[in-house]
Coordinates of all heavy atoms in Angstrom, one line a residue:
M13 N -10.7 -3.9 18.7 CA -11.7 -3.7 17.7 C -11.6 -4.8 16.5 O -10.5 -4.7 15.9 CB -11.6 -2.3 17.2 CG -12.5 -2.0 16.1 SD -12.2 -0.3 15.5 CE -13.7 0.2 14.9
E14 N -12.6 -5.5 16.3 CA -12.5 -6.5 15.3 C -12.8 -5.9 13.9 O -13.7 -5.1 13.8 CB -13.5 -7.7 15.6 CG -13.3 -8.8 14.6 CD -14.2 -10.0 15.0 OE1 -14.4 -10.2 16.3 OE2 -14.7 -10.7 14.1
A15 N -12.0 -6.3 12.9 CA -12.2 -5.8 11.6 C -13.4 -6.5 10.9 O -13.7 -7.6 11.1 CB -11.0 -6.1 10.7
K16 N -14.2 -5.6 10.2 CA -15.3 -6.0 9.4 C -14.9 -6.1 7.9 O -14.3 -5.2 7.4 CB -16.5 -5.2 9.6 CG -17.1 -5.1 11.0 CD -18.2 -4.2 11.0 CE -18.9 -4.2 12.4 NZ -20.0 -3.3 12.4
P17 N -15.3 -7.2 7.2 CA -15.0 -7.3 5.8 C -15.7 -6.3 4.9 O -16.7 -5.6 5.4 CB -15.3 -8.7 5.5 CG -16.3 -9.1 6.4 CD -16.1 -8.3 7.7
L18 N -15.2 -6.1 3.7 CA -15.8 -5.3 2.7 C -17.3 -5.6 2.6 O -17.7 -6.8 2.6 CB -15.1 -5.5 1.4 CG -15.3 -4.4 0.3 CD1 -14.8 -3.1 0.7 CD2 -14.7 -4.8 -1.0
G19 N -18.2 -4.6 2.5 CA -19.6 -4.8 2.4 C -20.3 -5.0 3.7 O -21.6 -5.1 3.7
S20 N -19.6 -5.0 4.9 CA -20.2 -5.1 6.1 C -20.9 -3.8 6.7 O -21.8 -3.9 7.5 CB -19.2 -5.6 7.2 OG -18.8 -6.8 6.8
Y21 N -20.4 -2.7 6.2 CA -20.9 -1.5 6.7 C -22.0 -0.9 5.8 O -22.0 -1.2 4.6 CB -19.8 -0.4 6.7 CG -18.8 -0.6 7.8 CD1 -17.7 -1.4 7.5 CD2 -18.9 -0.1 9.0 CE1 -16.7 -1.6 8.5 CE2 -17.9 -0.2 10.0 CZ -16.9 -1.0 9.7 OH -15.9 -1.3 10.7
P22 N -23.1 -0.3 6.3 CA -24.1 0.2 5.4 C -23.6 1.4 4.6 O -22.6 2.1 5.0 CB -25.2 0.7 6.4 CG -24.4 1.0 7.7 CD -23.3 0.0 7.8
N23 N -24.2 1.7 3.5 CA -23.8 2.8 2.7 C -24.0 4.1 3.4 O -25.1 4.3 3.9 CB -24.6 2.8 1.3 CG -24.2 3.8 0.4 OD1 -23.8 4.9 0.7 ND2 -24.2 3.4 -0.9
T24 N -23.0 5.0 3.4 CA -23.1 6.2 4.2 C -23.6 7.3 3.4 O -24.1 8.4 3.9 CB -21.7 6.6 4.7 OG1 -20.9 6.9 3.6 CG2 -21.1 5.5 5.6
G25 N -23.6 7.2 2.1 CA -24.0 8.3 1.2 C -22.9 9.4 1.1 O -23.1 10.4 0.4
I26 N -21.7 9.1 1.7 CA -20.6 10.1 1.6 C -19.8 9.8 0.3 O -19.4 8.7 0.1 CB -19.7 10.0 2.8 CG1 -20.5 10.4 4.1 CG2 -18.5 10.9 2.7 CD1 -19.8 10.2 5.4
D27 N -19.6 10.8 -0.5 CA -18.7 10.7 -1.6 C -17.3 11.1 -1.3 O -17.1 12.1 -0.7 CB -19.2 11.6 -2.8 CG -20.6 11.1 -3.4 OD1 -20.7 9.9 -3.5 OD2 -21.4 12.0 -3.7
V28 N -16.3 10.2 -1.6 CA -14.9 10.5 -1.3 C -14.2 10.5 -2.6 O -14.4 9.7 -3.5 CB -14.4 9.4 -0.5 CG1 -12.9 9.6 -0.2 CG2 -15.1 9.4 0.9
L29 N -13.3 11.5 -2.8 CA -12.5 11.7 -4.0 C -11.1 11.4 -3.6 O -10.5 12.1 -2.7 CB -12.6 13.1 -4.7 CG -11.7 13.3 -5.8 CD1 -12.1 12.4 -7.0 CD2 -11.8 14.8 -6.2
V30 N -10.4 10.4 -4.2 CA -9.0 10.0 -3.9 C -8.2 10.4 -5.1 O -8.6 10.0 -6.3 CB -8.9 8.5 -3.6 CG1 -7.4 8.2 -3.5 CG2 -9.7 8.2 -2.4
V31 N -7.1 11.2 -4.9 CA -6.3 11.6 -6.0 C -5.0 10.8 -6.0 O -4.3 10.9 -5.0 CB -6.0 13.1 -6.0 CG1 -5.1 13.6 -7.1 CG2 -7.3 13.9 -5.9
G32 N -4.8 10.1 -7.0 CA -3.6 9.2 -7.2 C -3.8 7.8 -6.7 O -4.5 7.5 -5.8
T33 N -3.2 6.9 -7.5 CA -3.3 5.5 -7.2 C -2.0 4.9 -6.7 O -1.8 3.7 -6.9 CB -3.8 4.7 -8.5 OG1 -2.8 4.9 -9.5 CG2 -5.2 5.1 -8.9
G34 N -1.2 5.7 -5.9 CA -0.1 5.2 -5.2 C -0.6 4.3 -4.0 O -1.8 4.0 -3.8
L35 N 0.3 3.9 -3.2 CA 0.0 3.0 -2.1 C -1.0 3.7 -1.1 O -2.0 3.1 -0.7 CB 1.2 2.6 -1.3 CG 1.0 1.8 -0.1 CD1 0.4 0.4 -0.5 CD2 2.3 1.5 0.6
A36 N -0.7 5.0 -0.9 CA -1.6 5.7 0.1 C -3.0 5.9 -0.6 O -4.0 5.7 0.2 CB -1.0 7.1 0.4
G37 N -3.0 6.3 -1.8 CA -4.4 6.5 -2.5 C -5.2 5.2 -2.5 O -6.4 5.2 -2.2
L38 N -4.6 4.1 -2.9 CA -5.3 2.8 -3.0 C -5.7 2.4 -1.6 O -6.8 1.8 -1.4 CB -4.5 1.8 -3.7 CG -4.3 2.1 -5.2 CD1 -3.3 1.0 -5.8 CD2 -5.6 2.1 -5.9
T39 N -4.9 2.6 -0.6 CA -5.2 2.1 0.7 C -6.4 3.0 1.2 O -7.4 2.4 1.8 CB -4.0 2.3 1.7 OG1 -3.0 1.6 1.2 CG2 -4.4 2.0 3.1
A40 N -6.4 4.3 1.0 CA -7.5 5.2 1.4 C -8.8 4.7 0.7 O -9.8 4.7 1.3 CB -7.2 6.6 1.1
A41 N -8.7 4.4 -0.6 CA -9.9 4.1 -1.4 C -10.5 2.7 -0.9 O -11.7 2.6 -0.7 CB -9.5 3.9 -2.9
I42 N -9.6 1.8 -0.6 CA -10.2 0.5 -0.1 C -10.8 0.7 1.2 O -11.9 0.2 1.5 CB -9.0 -0.5 0.0 CG1 -8.6 -0.9 -1.5 CG2 -9.5 -1.8 0.7 CD1 -7.3 -1.8 -1.6
E43 N -10.1 1.4 2.1 CA -10.7 1.6 3.5 C -12.0 2.4 3.5 O -12.9 2.0 4.2 CB -9.7 2.2 4.4 CG -10.1 2.4 5.8 CD -10.3 1.0 6.5 OE1 -9.9 0.0 6.0 OE2 -10.9 1.0 7.6
C44 N -12.1 3.4 2.6 CA -13.3 4.2 2.5 C -14.4 3.4 1.9 O -15.6 3.4 2.4 CB -13.1 5.5 1.7 SG -12.1 6.8 2.5
T45 N -14.1 2.5 0.9 CA -15.1 1.6 0.4 C -15.5 0.6 1.4 O -16.8 0.4 1.6 CB -14.5 0.9 -0.9 OG1 -14.2 1.8 -1.8 CG2 -15.5 -0.2 -1.4
R46 N -14.6 0.1 2.3 CA -15.0 -0.9 3.3 C -15.9 -0.2 4.3 O -16.8 -0.9 4.8 CB -13.7 -1.3 4.0 CG -13.9 -2.5 4.8 CD -12.5 -3.0 5.5 NE -12.1 -2.1 6.5 CZ -12.4 -2.0 7.7 NH1 -13.3 -2.9 8.1 NH2 -12.0 -1.2 8.6
K47 N -15.7 1.1 4.6 CA -16.6 1.8 5.6 C -18.0 2.2 5.0 O -18.8 2.8 5.7 CB -15.8 3.0 6.1 CG -14.6 2.6 7.0 CD -15.1 2.0 8.3 CE -13.9 1.6 9.2 NZ -13.7 2.4 10.3
G48 N -18.2 1.9 3.7 CA -19.5 2.2 3.1 C -19.6 3.5 2.4 O -20.7 3.9 2.0
H49 N -18.5 4.2 2.1 CA -18.5 5.4 1.3 C -18.5 5.2 -0.2 O -17.9 4.1 -0.6 CB -17.3 6.4 1.7 CG -17.2 6.6 3.2 ND1 -18.2 6.8 4.0 CD2 -16.1 6.5 4.1 CE1 -17.9 7.0 5.3 NE2 -16.5 6.9 5.3
N50 N -18.9 6.1 -0.9 CA -18.8 6.1 -2.5 C -17.5 6.7 -2.8 O -17.3 7.9 -2.6 CB -19.9 6.9 -3.1 CG -21.3 6.3 -2.7 OD1 -21.5 5.1 -2.6 ND2 -22.1 7.2 -2.3
V51 N -16.6 5.9 -3.5 CA -15.2 6.4 -3.7 C -15.0 6.6 -5.2 O -15.5 5.7 -6.0 CB -14.2 5.3 -3.2 CG1 -12.8 5.7 -3.6 CG2 -14.3 5.1 -1.8
H52 N -14.5 7.7 -5.6 CA -14.0 8.0 -6.9 C -12.6 8.3 -6.9 O -12.1 9.0 -6.0 CB -14.8 9.2 -7.4 CG -16.3 9.1 -7.3 ND1 -17.1 8.4 -8.3 CD2 -17.2 9.5 -6.3 CE1 -18.4 8.5 -7.9 NE2 -18.4 9.1 -6.7
I53 N -11.9 7.7 -7.9 CA -10.4 7.9 -7.9 C -10.0 8.6 -9.2 O -10.4 8.3 -10.3 CB -9.7 6.5 -7.8 CG1 -10.1 5.8 -6.6 CG2 -8.2 6.6 -7.8 CD1 -9.7 4.3 -6.5
L54 N -9.0 9.6 -9.0 CA -8.4 10.3 -10.1 C -6.9 9.9 -10.3 O -6.3 9.8 -9.3 CB -8.5 11.8 -9.9 CG -9.9 12.4 -9.9 CD1 -9.8 13.9 -9.7 CD2 -10.7 12.1 -11.2
E55 N -6.5 9.5 -11.5 CA -5.1 9.2 -11.7 C -4.7 10.0 -13.0 O -5.4 9.9 -14.0 CB -4.9 7.7 -11.9 CG -3.5 7.3 -12.3 CD -2.5 7.8 -11.4 OE1 -2.5 7.6 -10.2 OE2 -1.5 8.3 -11.9
R56 N -3.6 10.7 -12.9 CA -3.1 11.5 -14.1 C -2.6 10.6 -15.3 O -2.7 11.1 -16.4 CB -2.1 12.5 -13.7 CG -0.8 11.9 -13.3 CD 0.2 13.0 -13.0 NE 1.3 12.4 -12.4 CZ 2.3 13.1 -11.8 NH1 2.2 14.5 -11.8 NH2 3.3 12.6 -11.3
N57 N -2.1 9.4 -15.0 CA -1.6 8.6 -16.0 C -2.6 7.7 -16.7 O -3.6 7.3 -16.0 CB -0.5 7.6 -15.4 CG 0.7 8.4 -14.9 OD1 1.2 9.3 -15.6 ND2 1.1 8.1 -13.7
A58 N -2.6 7.7 -18.0 CA -3.6 7.0 -18.8 C -3.4 5.5 -18.6 O -4.4 4.7 -18.7 CB -3.6 7.4 -20.2
T59 N -2.2 5.0 -18.3 CA -2.0 3.6 -18.2 C -1.3 3.3 -16.9 O -0.7 4.1 -16.3 CB -1.2 2.9 -19.4 OG1 0.1 3.7 -19.4 CG2 -1.9 3.2 -20.7
I60 N -1.3 2.0 -16.5 CA -0.7 1.6 -15.3 C 0.8 1.2 -15.7 O 1.0 0.4 -16.6 CB -1.4 0.4 -14.6 CG1 -2.8 0.8 -14.1 CG2 -0.5 -0.1 -13.4 CD1 -3.5 -0.3 -13.6
N61 N 1.8 1.8 -15.0 CA 3.2 1.5 -15.2 C 3.8 1.3 -13.9 O 3.9 2.2 -13.1 CB 3.8 2.7 -15.9 CG 5.3 2.5 -16.2 OD1 5.8 1.3 -15.9 ND2 6.0 3.4 -16.8
T62 N 4.2 0.1 -13.7 CA 4.8 -0.3 -12.4 C 6.3 -0.4 -12.5 O 6.9 -0.9 -11.5 CB 4.2 -1.6 -11.9 OG1 4.5 -2.6 -12.9 CG2 2.7 -1.5 -11.6
A63 N 6.8 0.0 -13.6 CA 8.4 -0.1 -13.7 C 9.0 0.8 -12.6 O 8.7 1.9 -12.5 CB 8.7 0.4 -15.1
G64 N 9.8 0.1 -11.9 CA 10.6 0.8 -10.8 C 9.8 1.0 -9.5 O 10.4 1.5 -8.6
D65 N 8.6 0.5 -9.4 CA 7.8 0.6 -8.2 C 8.4 -0.3 -7.1 O 8.6 -1.5 -7.4 CB 6.3 0.4 -8.4 CG 5.6 1.5 -9.1 OD1 6.3 2.4 -9.4 OD2 4.4 1.3 -9.4
M66 N 8.6 0.2 -6.0 CA 9.0 -0.6 -4.9 C 8.6 0.1 -3.6 O 8.8 1.3 -3.5 CB 10.5 -0.8 -4.9 CG 11.0 -1.6 -3.7 SD 12.7 -2.0 -3.8 CE 13.4 -0.4 -3.4
Y67 N 8.1 -0.6 -2.7 CA 7.7 0.0 -1.4 C 8.4 -0.6 -0.3 O 8.6 -1.9 -0.3 CB 6.1 -0.1 -1.2 CG 5.3 0.7 -2.2 CD1 4.6 -0.1 -3.2 CD2 5.2 2.0 -2.1 CE1 3.8 0.6 -4.1 CE2 4.4 2.7 -3.1 CZ 3.8 2.0 -4.0 OH 3.0 2.7 -4.9
F68 N 8.8 0.1 0.7 CA 9.4 -0.5 1.9 C 8.3 -0.2 3.0 O 7.8 0.9 3.2 CB 10.6 0.2 2.3 CG 11.1 -0.2 3.7 CD1 11.7 -1.5 3.9 CD2 10.9 0.5 4.8 CE1 12.1 -1.9 5.1 CE2 11.2 0.2 6.1 CZ 11.8 -1.1 6.2
M69 N 7.8 -1.3 3.6 CA 6.9 -1.1 4.7 C 7.4 -1.8 5.9 O 7.7 -3.0 5.9 CB 5.5 -1.8 4.2 CG 4.9 -1.1 3.1 SD 3.4 -1.9 2.6 CE 2.3 -1.6 3.9
G70 N 7.6 -1.0 7.0 CA 8.0 -1.6 8.2 C 6.8 -2.3 8.9 O 5.7 -2.2 8.4
L71 N 7.1 -3.0 9.9 CA 6.0 -3.7 10.6 C 4.8 -2.9 11.1 O 3.7 -3.3 10.9 CB 6.6 -4.5 11.8 CG 7.6 -5.6 11.4 CD1 8.1 -6.2 12.8 CD2 6.9 -6.7 10.6
S72 N 5.1 -1.7 11.5 CA 4.0 -0.9 12.0 C 3.1 -0.4 10.8 O 1.9 -0.2 11.0 CB 4.5 0.3 12.8 OG 5.3 1.2 11.9
A73 N 3.7 -0.3 9.6 CA 2.9 0.1 8.5 C 2.0 -1.0 7.9 O 1.1 -0.7 7.2 CB 3.9 0.6 7.4
T74 N 2.3 -2.2 8.4 CA 1.4 -3.3 7.8 C 0.2 -3.7 8.8 O -0.4 -4.6 8.5 CB 2.3 -4.5 7.6 OG1 3.0 -4.9 8.8 CG2 3.4 -4.3 6.5
R75 N 0.1 -2.9 9.8 CA -1.0 -3.2 10.7 C -2.4 -3.2 10.1 O -3.3 -3.9 10.5 CB -1.0 -2.3 11.9 CG 0.2 -2.6 12.8 CD 0.1 -1.8 14.1 NE 1.3 -2.0 14.9 CZ 1.9 -1.1 15.6 NH1 1.4 0.1 15.7 NH2 3.0 -1.4 16.3
F76 N -2.5 -2.3 9.0 CA -3.8 -2.2 8.4 C -4.3 -3.6 7.7 O -5.4 -3.8 7.4 CB -3.9 -1.1 7.4 CG -3.1 -1.3 6.2 CD1 -3.7 -1.8 5.0 CD2 -1.8 -0.9 6.1 CE1 -2.9 -2.0 3.9 CE2 -1.0 -1.0 4.9 CZ -1.6 -1.7 3.9
F77 N -3.3 -4.4 7.5 CA -3.6 -5.7 6.8 C -4.6 -6.5 7.6 O -5.2 -7.5 7.2 CB -2.4 -6.5 6.5 CG -1.6 -6.0 5.3 CD1 -0.2 -6.0 5.3 CD2 -2.2 -5.6 4.1 CE1 0.5 -5.6 4.2 CE2 -1.5 -5.2 3.1 CZ -0.2 -5.2 3.1
K78 N -4.7 -6.2 9.0 CA -5.6 -7.1 9.8 C -7.0 -6.9 9.3 O -7.8 -7.8 9.5 CB -5.5 -6.6 11.3 CG -6.1 -5.3 11.5 CD -5.9 -4.9 13.0 CE -6.5 -3.5 13.3 NZ -6.3 -3.1 14.6
H79 N -7.3 -5.9 8.6 CA -8.7 -5.7 8.0 C -8.9 -6.4 6.7 O -9.9 -6.6 6.2 CB -8.9 -4.1 7.7 CG -8.9 -3.3 8.9 ND1 -9.8 -3.4 10.0 CD2 -8.1 -2.3 9.4 CE1 -9.6 -2.5 10.9 NE2 -8.5 -1.9 10.5
W80 N -7.7 -6.8 6.0 CA -7.8 -7.4 4.7 C -6.8 -8.6 4.7 O -5.7 -8.6 4.2 CB -7.3 -6.4 3.7 CG -8.0 -5.1 3.7 CD1 -9.3 -4.8 4.0 CD2 -7.4 -3.8 3.5 NE1 -9.5 -3.5 4.0 CE2 -8.3 -2.9 3.7 CE3 -6.1 -3.5 3.1 CZ2 -8.1 -1.5 3.5 CZ3 -5.8 -2.1 3.0 CH2 -6.8 -1.2 3.2
P81 N -7.3 -9.7 5.3 CA -6.4 -11.0 5.4 C -6.0 -11.5 4.0 O -4.9 -12.0 3.9 CB -7.3 -11.9 6.2 CG -8.6 -11.4 6.2 CD -8.6 -10.0 6.0
E82 N -6.9 -11.3 3.0 CA -6.5 -11.8 1.7 C -5.3 -11.1 1.1 O -4.4 -11.5 0.5 CB -7.7 -11.8 0.7 CG -8.8 -12.7 1.1 CD -9.8 -12.0 2.1 OE1 -9.7 -10.8 2.3 OE2 -10.6 -12.7 2.6
M83 N -5.4 -9.7 1.3 CA -4.2 -8.8 0.9 C -3.0 -9.1 1.6 O -1.8 -9.1 1.1 CB -4.6 -7.4 1.0 CG -3.6 -6.4 0.3 SD -4.0 -4.7 0.5 CE -5.4 -4.6 -0.7
A84 N -3.1 -9.4 2.9 CA -1.9 -9.8 3.8 C -1.2 -11.0 3.2 O 0.0 -11.0 3.1 CB -2.3 -10.0 5.2
K85 N -2.0 -12.0 2.8 CA -1.4 -13.2 2.2 C -0.7 -12.9 0.9 O 0.4 -13.4 0.6 CB -2.5 -14.3 2.0 CG -3.0 -14.9 3.2 CD -4.1 -15.9 2.9 CE -4.9 -16.3 4.1 NZ -6.0 -17.1 3.8
E86 N -1.3 -12.0 0.0 CA -0.7 -11.7 -1.2 C 0.6 -10.9 -1.0 O 1.6 -11.1 -1.6 CB -1.7 -10.9 -2.0 CG -1.2 -10.3 -3.3 CD -0.9 -11.4 -4.4 OE1 -1.5 -12.5 -4.3 OE2 -0.3 -11.1 -5.4
Y87 N 0.5 -9.9 -0.1 CA 1.7 -9.1 0.3 C 2.9 -10.0 0.7 O 3.9 -9.9 0.3 CB 1.4 -8.1 1.3 CG 2.5 -7.3 1.9 CD1 3.0 -6.3 1.2 CD2 3.2 -7.7 3.1 CE1 4.1 -5.6 1.7 CE2 4.2 -7.0 3.6 CZ 4.7 -6.0 2.9 OH 5.8 -5.3 3.4
D88 N 2.5 -10.9 1.6 CA 3.6 -11.8 2.1 C 4.2 -12.7 1.0 O 5.4 -13.0 1.0 CB 3.0 -12.7 3.2 CG 4.1 -13.5 4.0 OD1 5.0 -12.8 4.4 OD2 4.0 -14.7 4.1
S89 N 3.3 -13.2 0.1 CA 3.8 -14.0 -1.0 C 4.7 -13.3 -2.0 O 5.6 -13.9 -2.7 CB 2.7 -14.7 -1.8 OG 2.0 -13.8 -2.6
I90 N 4.5 -12.0 -2.2 CA 5.4 -11.2 -3.2 C 6.5 -10.4 -2.5 O 7.3 -9.8 -3.2 CB 4.5 -10.3 -4.1 CG1 3.8 -9.2 -3.2 CG2 3.5 -11.1 -4.9 CD1 3.2 -8.1 -4.1
S91 N 6.6 -10.4 -1.2 CA 7.5 -9.6 -0.5 C 8.9 -10.2 -0.4 O 9.0 -11.4 -0.4 CB 7.1 -9.3 1.0 OG 5.9 -8.7 1.0
L92 N 9.9 -9.3 -0.3 CA 11.2 -9.8 -0.1 C 11.4 -9.6 1.4 O 11.3 -8.5 1.9 CB 12.3 -8.9 -0.9 CG 12.2 -9.0 -2.4 CD1 13.2 -8.0 -3.0 CD2 12.6 -10.4 -2.8
H93 N 11.8 -10.7 2.0 CA 12.0 -10.6 3.5 C 13.5 -10.6 3.8 O 14.2 -11.3 3.2 CB 11.3 -11.7 4.2 CG 9.8 -11.8 4.0 ND1 8.9 -11.0 4.7 CD2 9.1 -12.6 3.1 CE1 7.7 -11.3 4.2 NE2 7.8 -12.2 3.3
N94 N 13.8 -9.7 4.7 CA 15.2 -9.5 5.1 C 16.1 -9.2 4.0 O 17.2 -9.6 3.9 CB 15.8 -10.8 5.8 CG 15.0 -11.0 7.1 OD1 14.7 -10.1 7.9 ND2 14.6 -12.3 7.3
A95 N 15.6 -8.4 3.0 CA 16.4 -8.0 1.9 C 17.3 -6.7 2.3 O 16.7 -5.9 3.1 CB 15.5 -7.6 0.7
W96 N 18.4 -6.6 1.7 CA 19.3 -5.5 2.0 C 19.4 -4.6 0.8 O 19.6 -5.1 -0.3 CB 20.6 -5.9 2.5 CG 20.5 -6.8 3.7 CD1 20.6 -8.1 3.8 CD2 20.3 -6.3 5.1 NE1 20.5 -8.6 5.1 CE2 20.3 -7.4 5.9 CE3 20.1 -5.0 5.6 CZ2 20.1 -7.4 7.2 CZ3 20.0 -4.9 7.0 CH2 19.9 -6.1 7.8
I97 N 19.1 -3.4 0.9 CA 19.0 -2.5 -0.2 C 20.2 -1.5 -0.3 O 20.5 -0.8 0.8 CB 17.7 -1.7 -0.3 CG1 16.5 -2.7 -0.3 CG2 17.6 -0.7 -1.4 CD1 15.2 -2.1 -0.2
E98 N 20.8 -1.3 -1.4 CA 21.8 -0.3 -1.7 C 21.2 0.9 -2.5 O 20.4 0.6 -3.3 CB 23.0 -0.8 -2.4 CG 23.9 -1.8 -1.7 CD 25.1 -2.3 -2.5 OE1 24.9 -3.2 -3.3 OE2 26.2 -1.7 -2.3
T99 N 21.7 2.1 -2.1 CA 21.2 3.2 -2.9 C 22.4 3.8 -3.6 O 23.5 4.0 -3.1 CB 20.6 4.3 -1.9 OG1 19.6 3.7 -1.1 CG2 20.0 5.4 -2.7
F100 N 22.1 4.2 -5.0 CA 23.2 4.6 -5.9 C 22.8 6.0 -6.4 O 21.6 6.3 -6.5 CB 23.4 3.7 -7.0 CG 23.9 2.4 -6.6 CD1 23.0 1.3 -6.3 CD2 25.2 2.0 -6.6 CE1 23.4 0.1 -5.9 CE2 25.7 0.8 -6.2 CZ 24.8 -0.2 -5.9
T101 N 23.7 6.8 -6.8 CA 23.5 8.1 -7.5 C 23.3 7.7 -8.9 O 23.4 6.6 -9.4 CB 24.7 9.0 -7.4 OG1 25.8 8.4 -8.1 CG2 25.1 9.3 -6.0
H102 N 22.9 8.7 -9.7 CA 22.6 8.5 -11.2 C 23.9 8.1 -11.9 O 23.8 7.5 -13.0 CB 22.0 9.7 -11.8 CG 22.9 10.9 -11.9 ND1 23.2 11.7 -10.8 CD2 23.5 11.4 -12.9 CE1 24.0 12.6 -11.2 NE2 24.2 12.5 -12.5
T103 N 25.0 8.4 -11.3 CA 26.3 8.0 -12.0 C 26.8 6.6 -11.6 O 27.9 6.2 -12.0 CB 27.4 9.0 -11.7 OG1 27.6 9.1 -10.3 CG2 27.0 10.4 -12.2
G104 N 26.1 6.0 -10.7 CA 26.5 4.7 -10.2 C 27.3 4.6 -8.9 O 27.6 3.6 -8.4
E105 N 27.5 5.8 -8.3 CA 28.2 5.8 -7.1 C 27.3 5.4 -5.9 O 26.1 5.7 -5.9 CB 28.8 7.2 -6.7 CG 29.8 7.7 -7.7 CD 30.1 9.1 -7.4 OE1 30.8 9.5 -6.4 OE2 29.7 10.0 -8.2
V106 N 27.9 4.6 -5.0 CA 27.1 4.1 -3.9 C 26.8 5.3 -2.9 O 27.8 6.0 -2.5 CB 27.8 3.0 -3.1 CG1 27.0 2.6 -1.9 CG2 28.0 1.8 -4.0
M107 N 25.5 5.5 -2.6 CA 25.2 6.6 -1.7 C 25.0 6.0 -0.3 O 25.5 6.5 0.7 CB 23.9 7.2 -2.1 CG 24.0 8.1 -3.2 SD 22.4 8.8 -3.7 CE 21.9 9.7 -2.3
I108 N 24.3 4.9 -0.2 CA 24.0 4.2 1.1 C 24.4 2.8 0.8 O 23.8 2.0 0.0 CB 22.6 4.4 1.5 CG1 22.2 5.9 1.6 CG2 22.3 3.7 2.8 CD1 20.8 6.2 1.8
K109 N 25.2 2.2 1.7 CA 25.6 0.8 1.7 C 24.5 0.0 2.4 O 23.9 0.6 3.3 CB 27.0 0.5 2.2 CG 28.0 1.1 1.4 CD 29.4 0.8 1.9 CE 30.5 1.4 1.0 NZ 31.5 0.5 0.7
P110 N 24.3 -1.3 2.1 CA 23.3 -2.0 2.8 C 23.8 -2.2 4.3 O 25.0 -2.4 4.6 CB 23.3 -3.3 2.1 CG 24.6 -3.4 1.4 CD 24.9 -2.1 1.1
L111 N 22.8 -2.1 5.2 CA 23.1 -2.3 6.6 C 22.9 -3.8 7.0 O 21.8 -4.4 6.9 CB 22.2 -1.5 7.5 CG 22.2 0.0 7.3 CD1 21.2 0.7 8.0 CD2 23.6 0.5 7.5
K112 N 24.0 -4.5 7.2 CA 23.9 -6.0 7.5 C 24.3 -6.3 8.8 O 25.0 -5.6 9.5 CB 24.9 -6.7 6.5 CG 24.4 -6.7 5.1 CD 25.2 -7.6 4.2 CE 24.8 -7.4 2.8 NZ 25.5 -8.2 1.9

């Protein structure tokens, strides 16, 4: 199935409410808009704060980028490839060592 760009689908007249502007909410909003639905988004925070935001996306999770080639290029340009992550407790003790 070949992906169609934004604006290719006729307006469906369906109203969609998306709650939250995290990765899942924004992905749902973009895809619903692409399919011709009227999208409304609710976010509880008054401002955007990306401090500490980080997403890990495995290869299977990035398949949706086939619909949005411009977003795929942006994702690739800002991504850390082959990065190893350590997880710490609030006291600084290592919980999970990087798997190398």
Side-chain angles (χ1 to χ4, degrees):
M13 176 184 206
E14 188 173 327
K16 295 182 179 181
L18 195 64
S20 298
Y21 290 89
N23 188 323
T24 65
I26 296 173
D27 291 321
V28 176
L29 178 63
V30 175
V31 179
T33 58
L35 180 62
L38 291 177
T39 300
I42 292 170
E43 187 62 13
C44 287
T45 300
R46 192 177 72 82
K47 292 290 179 110
H49 306 319
N50 302 314
V51 177
H52 306 275
I53 303 172
L54 296 179
E55 173 57 50
R56 71 177 165 189
N57 296 315
T59 60
I60 296 174
N61 180 0
T62 59
D65 285 358
M66 181 176 69
Y67 295 106
F68 171 80
M69 294 176 67
L71 291 177
S72 62
T74 60
R75 288 186 186 147
F76 71 90
F77 283 141
K78 69 181 180 184
H79 298 294
W80 312 320
E82 297 85 10
M83 188 179 288
K85 288 178 192 171
E86 177 72 15
Y87 173 78
D88 192 52
S89 72
I90 64 172
S91 296
L92 295 174
H93 300 283
N94 298 318
W96 301 101
I97 299 173
E98 287 182 278
T99 305
F100 298 89
T101 65
H102 68 285
T103 60
E105 296 173 71
V106 176
M107 288 177 58
I108 303 171
K109 293 185 181 225
L111 303 173
K112 293 186 180 180

